[in-house]
Structures are given as structure tokens and as C-alpha cells.
């Protein structure tokens, strides 16, 4: 196109073809235009042939409209010579690149697009020439040195023995930004969905919280993400963290912020999200800057973790998730802690999507923590109910129901393991006389103290002490033979005597004493637990018959 700038006449061939709303008006025409004609809105001189006047006028009009459309297009349009020099550029190219037309005519494509520079120009030229057209995404550089993404379409054109590339470039910055935002949105939805799924499917709070901080740190590409839990005095502990470098770790550190006031509490309780891009240029108090600096913080993003106090143990996990704390009010919200992202190596401008993400995740973290808290309360309540259902309310040891179930289980277990099972039945001597003499309240106190003494004498975790009925107690001893059972029984007898509880109405001693019946069995398929109970009862009767405050023993023979 250097010839165009020299205003040499070039022959253009215009073939008017039927397409859509354009009607074919003639055969192939050869139109001669000068550079000034091509670059202006003026019509060229008319041809002498009067018969072709109508076709000529229409072709000229189409040419002028086409040139005007290209010139005024918002897209950048430019022509390149075989050497890569720019020989035409429209207003769109000047506007996008920040150069005047005269400046662009002195430039090579490599100065605008490094991918099309001298090293690769021959390769690109050959590719476009071979295919006739090529569309690709690349980067163009403005006059101020900044770059921006474009979609470039290059078309190969030959005119009067010269070759050119006719190029159209569309600025796709907004498209790329939309793609990035879409990817961020997809990643946010994936992460939030994964956390929500974990909350629904798992009650493993440490795993949920660790996954959250790990995923957030990776997504935000930041140095440290942590969950900070407040104490009642507004000190707190870093309970979970994810760090890029070991030196950034502050896990389990107890933190006191001298600048943390009631104003901060109120703001966070109202759901405030705070992003600091540079701690030295945000107008922070000196004490706050010093506090953050000691933890290597250059920029941070802080989101409160809030509990809804109206939710209680009857609120199920699905209700927690469905509500998502979207309707919380300061009056019904409790500031539990903070979800924090730290940038330690440099300053950082936090984007809105990052703030939105942390706010969403803080809500789910609050749900997970409160769900776990409610579940722990439920477990404690269930354990208490179970304890009440299986323990004697007066003495605190197992009740008769628990005794029956435990003996049945241990009988079957010892049968499988082929081991000994022993049972001790204990009876307080002359307890009816004790009640009559000292009263029922004293009798209840005596039962409680005796039960405690028996429990203290039976030390193995697998052994069971139960109230069998009235003043009778029972002790189940798995994996215990006759010798072992007698040793335990004697320890129980002596522990009760050592209590020294006065019993003036006793026919044995001046204190509360106990008679014990010990039975030992080697469980067999043909046997039953009731047989062991009967044998222990028989041994107890024997101990009483021989004067009380002593042991009796019976061993079931194998069958």
C-alpha cells in the first residue's frame, strides 16, 4: 500500500454479486481509484461509457459506503504490506492504540503486536497466505505501553501484483474480564457448594474448618487464611490456619489486640466486612499498625463469624443451612470469631468478589460450628438420658436393667472367648434393722456410701457394679476365675467395714458389714446367665448361714 500513499493509480476489481438486500447490477467491473479517492468520500470521475453509467454509479456508492463503514468502525482496521508495515489504519485503530494515523504509517506490526514481530512475521504471513484468512486472539500494545487483548482477523489480498493483509482487531477486554469473573463465580460456587455438602454430610468440624481455610488460601492466592475464636474478654485463639510458608504460622497463638474496642465488636456484630489493602496507608491507628506488623501482615481481609442465638438444640442441620443466617439481627447474633485472609509479603487490593466469597464462607463456617455445638449438646443430653435409664438414681451405680443386659452380653462374650465369668452378690447385714433404728434418710445415705465403697474396690473398667435390689448389690467380673473373684469380694467386704458406719442394731458388729456370695462359671452353649445368678445367690445364703460378714463361693462345673 505504499503505492497508495504515493497516490499512484491502482485498479480495483469490484464484482457485484447477489447477496441478501444487495442486487447484482452487472458483470465484473474494473474501477480505477486514486489514493485520495479511496481515503475520502468524494466520487471518482465517471467513465466515458454511458451504457455502464448506472452500474458504475452503484458500484461507486457501494465502495464509498464500505470505505466509510470501515473508517468509522469501532473495531481497529489496518492494512499491512508484505514487510509488515502499516499502510492504512482507520479511526478505530488510532483510538484503540493511542497513535495518530501519521504515527501508525511509520510503524511495523511488530511494534503493536510482539507475536507478529520480525522473528515470527514470515511464519504468520505464510499461514494467512495459505489459508486466505486467519482469526486468533493476541495482545496489542498501546502508545503508553499497556497491553490489551484483541481478536484479530487477517485476510490475504492481492492487488496488481502486490500482496497485503487486511486486518480487523476487536478489543475483547470486557469479554476476557467477563470470562475471569465467570471462572471466579464458578470457583466460588464450587467451593461454597463443597463446604455446604461437607456440613450436610459430616459432623467432623476440624475437617470442615481445615478444608475451608485451605481452599480459600488457594483460591485467593494469599499467604495466610485463619479462623480466629474470641474469648469472653475479647482475646482469642487462632484455632485453624492455612499458610503458604511455615514462617507465617501462628496456629494456636493466643492473641490480644489492644486496639480492639467495643466499636469493633458492634461493627462486626452488624456483619461488617473490612478489607485493608495496605496497613500503612489506610489511616489506621499506630497501635493497630504495630499489632498487625508483628504478625507480618501487609494487607488483610476480615469477615465476622456470627451465631444466631435464636437457634437451639431442636434446630436440625438442614434448617441451619436453609436459613443461612440471612435474616440475622444484631440483637440475636453472637460474634463467635473472625475468618481472616492475610497478605504478608506485599500489599494487595482486595476485589469485591473476594469479599463476597469470604462473607458467604463465614456464614457456612458459622453454620458448621453451631451445628457441631448443637450436636455436642444433643450427644450430652442423650448420654445423660441413657445414664438415667441405666443407672440407679440413689446410689449412682448401674440399675437392675443394666445389670441384666450386661450379664447377658458378658456371658456370650466369655462363651466366644472361652474364658471365666464371675459374679458377686452383696447384701448389707441387718439393713432392715438399720432403717428401723436410724430412719430411711440415714438408710439412703448408707446405701450411697456402701455403693461408692464397692465401686472403689472394683477397679477394672470392664467390671460392672449394680444395685440388684433393696440393700443388695451385684458385681460382674469378666475374665475372672475363682481366685480373682474371691480377692475382689474380700476387698469389697473390707472397704465396707472401713467406712465405719455405726449400726447398733446389727447382730454381727457395731458397724455396717456385708455378706457376699461369689459364683464362677466357664460359660457353655448349654448354660444360661441365670445359672450363675442362682449359684451366687446360693453362695450368699451360705455366707449368711455361717454368721454373716463373710464370703461364700460356688463354682459351676463345665457341661
Amino acid at each position: 500500500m505504499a503505492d497508495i500513499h504515493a497516490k499512484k493509480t491502482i485498479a480495483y476489481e469490484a464484482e457485484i454479486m447477489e447477496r441478501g438486500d444487495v442486487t447484482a447490477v452487472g458483470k465484473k467491473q474494473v474501477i480505477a481509484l486514486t489514493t485520495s479517492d479511496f481515503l475520502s468520500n468524494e466520487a471518482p470521475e465517471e467513465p466515458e461509457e454511458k451504457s455502464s453509467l448506472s452500474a458504475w454509479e452503484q458500484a461507486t456508492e457501494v465502495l464509498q459506503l464500505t470505505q466509510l463503514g470501515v473508517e468509522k468502525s469501532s473495531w481497529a482496521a489496518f492494512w499491512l504490506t508484505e514487510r509488515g508495515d502499516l499502510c492504512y489504519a482507520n479511526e478505530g485503530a488510532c483510538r484503540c492504540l493511542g497513535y495518530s494515523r501519521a504515527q501508525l504509517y511509520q510503524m511495523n506490526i511488530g511494534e503493536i503486536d510482539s507475536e507478529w514481530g520480525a522473528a515470527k512475521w514470515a511464519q504468520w504471513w505464510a499461514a494467512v497466505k495459505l489459508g486466505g484468512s486467519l482469526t486468533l486472539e493476541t495482545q496489542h500494545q498501546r502508545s503508553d505501553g499497556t497491553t490489551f487483548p484483541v481478536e484479530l482477523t487477517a485476510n490475504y489480498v492481492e492487488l496488481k501484483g502486490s500482496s497485503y493483509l487486511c486486518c480487523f482487531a476487536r478489543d475483547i477486554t470486557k469479554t476476557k474480564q467477563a470470562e475471569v469473573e465467570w471462572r471466579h463465580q464458578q470457583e466460588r460456587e464450587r467451593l461454597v457448594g463443597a463446604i455446604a455438602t461437607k456440613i450436610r454430610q459430616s459432623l467432623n468440624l476440624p475437617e470442615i474448618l481445615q478444608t475451608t481455610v485451605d481452599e480459600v488460601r488457594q483460591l485467593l492466592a494469599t499467604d495466610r487464611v485463619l479462623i480466629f475464636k474470641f474469648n469472653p474478654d475479647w482475646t482469642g485463639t487462632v484455632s485453624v490456619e492455612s499458610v503458604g510458608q511455615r514462617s507465617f504460622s501462628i496456629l494456636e497463638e493466643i492473641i490480644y489486640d489492644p486496639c480492639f474496642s467495643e466499636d469493633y465488636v458492634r461493627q462486626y456484630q452488624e456483619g461488617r466486612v473490612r478489607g485493608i489493602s495496605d496497613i500503612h496507608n489506610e489511616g489506621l491507628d499506630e497501635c493497630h499498625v504495630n499489632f498487625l506488623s508483628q504478625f507480618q501482615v501487609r494487607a488483610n481481609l476480615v469477615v465476622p463469624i456470627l451465631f444466631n442465638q435464636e437457634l437451639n438444640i431442636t434446630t436440625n442441620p438442614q434448617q441451619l443451612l436453609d436459613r443461612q443466617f440471612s435474616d440475622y439481627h444484631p440483637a440475636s447474633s453472637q460474634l463467635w470469631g473472625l475468618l481472616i485472609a492475610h497478605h504478608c509479603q506485599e500489599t494487595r487490593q482486595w476485589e469485591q468478589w473476594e469479599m463476597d466469597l469470604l462473607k458467604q464462607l463465614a456464614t457456612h463456617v458459622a453454620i458448621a460450628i453451631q451445628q457441631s455445638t448443637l450436636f455436642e449438646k444433643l450427644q450430652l443430653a442423650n448420654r445423660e438420658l441413657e445414664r438415667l435409664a441405666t443407672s440407679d438414681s440413689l446410689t449412682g451405680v448401674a440399675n437392675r436393667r443394666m445389670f441384666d443386659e450386661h450379664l447377658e452380653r458378658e456371658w456370650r462374650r466369655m462363651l466366644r472367648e472361652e474364658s471365666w465369668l464371675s459374679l458377686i452378690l452383696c447384701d448389707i447385714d441387718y439393713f432392715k434393722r438399720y432403717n428401723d433404728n436410724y430412719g430411711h434418710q440415714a438408710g439412703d445415705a448408707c446405701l450411697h456410701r456402701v455403693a461408692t465403697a464397692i465401686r472403689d474396690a472394683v477397679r477394672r473398667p470392664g467390671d460392672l457394679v449394680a444395685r440388684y435390689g433393696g440393700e443388695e448389690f451385684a458385681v460382674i467380673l469378666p475374665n475372672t476365675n475363682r481366685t480373682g473373684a474371691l480377692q475382689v469380694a474380700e476387698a469389697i467386704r473390707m472397704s465396707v467395714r472401713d467406712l465405719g458406719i455405726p449400726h447398733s442394731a446389727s447382730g454381727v458388729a457395731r458397724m455396717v458389714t456385708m455378706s457376699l456370695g461369689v459364683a464362677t462359671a466357664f460359660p457353655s452353649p448349654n448354660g444360661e446367665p441365670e445359672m450363675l445368678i442362682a449359684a451366687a445367690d446360693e453362695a450368699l445364703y451360705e455366707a449368711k448361714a455361717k454368721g454373716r460378714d463373710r464370703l461364700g463361693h460356688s463354682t459351676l462345673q463345665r457341661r
Side-chain angles (χ1 to χ4, degrees), residues 259 264 267-268 271-277 282-285 288 292 299-304 339-341 350 355 358:
C259 308
Y264 283 102
Q267 292 170 11
Y268 283 134
R272 175 196 185 186
V273 176
R274 187 174 191 187
I276 297 175
S277 301
E282 293 280 344
L284 301 177
D285 294 336
H288 200 176
L292 293 173
N300 71 352
L301 181 56
V302 184
V303 179
L339 175 59
I340 305 174
W350 301 102
M355 298 182 184
L358 252 66

Side-chain angles (χ1 to χ4, degrees), residues 492-553:
I492 292 172
R493 189 184 71 83
M494 291 305 300
S495 293
V496 172
R497 284 186 64 92
D498 290 344
L499 291 175
I501 301 174
H503 189 356
S504 59
S506 172
V508 181
R510 303 299 293 174
M511 65 188 69
V512 171
T513 58
M514 178 167 278
S515 300
L516 302 94
V518 181
T520 302
F522 198 93
S524 65
N526 299 323
E528 296 290 341
E530 288 75 13
M531 299 170 61
L532 186 62
I533 296 175
D537 192 52
E538 183 180 339
L540 177 60
Y541 180 80
E542 177 188 338
K544 287 182 177 182
K546 290 183 177 180
R548 302 177 188 262
D549 188 22
R550 66 190 65 228
L551 312 179
H553 181 264

Side-chain angles (χ1 to χ4, degrees), residues 35-228:
T35 301
S36 59
D37 292 328
F38 185 77
L39 298 177
S40 71
N41 294 330
E42 299 176 3
E45 296 181 1
E46 298 181 2
E48 296 180 0
E49 296 84 348
K50 298 299 181 180
S51 60
S52 301
L53 183 60
S54 177
W56 170 261
E57 289 175 344
Q58 293 189 45
T60 300
E61 183 177 359
V62 170
L63 179 63
Q64 289 176 334
L65 288 173
T66 301
Q67 171 59 22
L68 184 61
V70 171
E71 183 65 23
K72 300 298 182 182
S73 173
S74 61
W75 290 20
F78 49 88
W79 287 56
L80 304 174
T81 67
E82 195 166 353
R83 295 188 302 273
D85 299 325
L86 278 80
C87 54
Y88 168 74
N90 70 347
E91 293 178 5
C94 297
R95 186 170 54 252
C96 291
L97 297 171
Y99 293 103
S100 67
R101 187 174 273 136
Q103 289 174 313
L104 288 173
Y105 290 163
Q106 301 299 318
M107 297 175 67
N108 184 275
I109 185 62
E111 299 174 68
I112 297 171
D113 189 331
S114 59
E115 282 294 314
W116 288 54
K120 297 182 179 179
W121 171 248
Q123 176 184 344
W124 285 115
W125 178 272
V128 179
K129 182 177 180 180
L130 179 63
S133 180
L134 179 66
T135 299
L136 73 158
E137 291 185 4
T138 184
Q139 294 277 331
H140 279 181
Q141 181 172 296
R142 300 184 182 92
S143 59
D144 62 4
T146 60
T147 60
F148 62 101
V150 297
E151 181 184 76
L152 178 67
T153 298
N155 301 290
Y156 180 77
V157 178
E158 290 184 352
L159 290 174
K160 301 292 288 183
S162 297
S163 301
Y164 308 91
L165 295 188
C166 176
C167 302
F168 295 89
R170 177 171 67 94
D171 186 342
I172 56 174
T173 300
K174 291 184 177 179
T175 301
K176 290 298 181 183
Q177 289 173 342
E179 289 177 358
V180 171
E181 176 56 32
W182 181 83
R183 286 196 298 271
H184 285 157
Q185 179 66 25
Q186 292 295 307
E187 188 63 22
R188 289 198 299 273
E189 291 178 0
R190 182 201 66 77
L191 179 54
V192 172
I195 299 300
T197 299
K198 276 188 176 293
I199 293 172
R200 288 189 181 96
Q201 296 179 348
S202 172
L203 290 169
N204 187 338
L205 183 61
E207 179 186 354
I208 293 172
L209 298 185
Q210 191 62 55
T211 298
T212 300
V213 294
D214 287 342
E215 293 276 3
V216 170
R217 189 182 65 80
Q218 183 176 357
L219 181 61
L220 299 188
T222 194
D223 297 313
R224 178 168 58 215
V225 175
L226 59 91
I227 291 175
F228 177 80

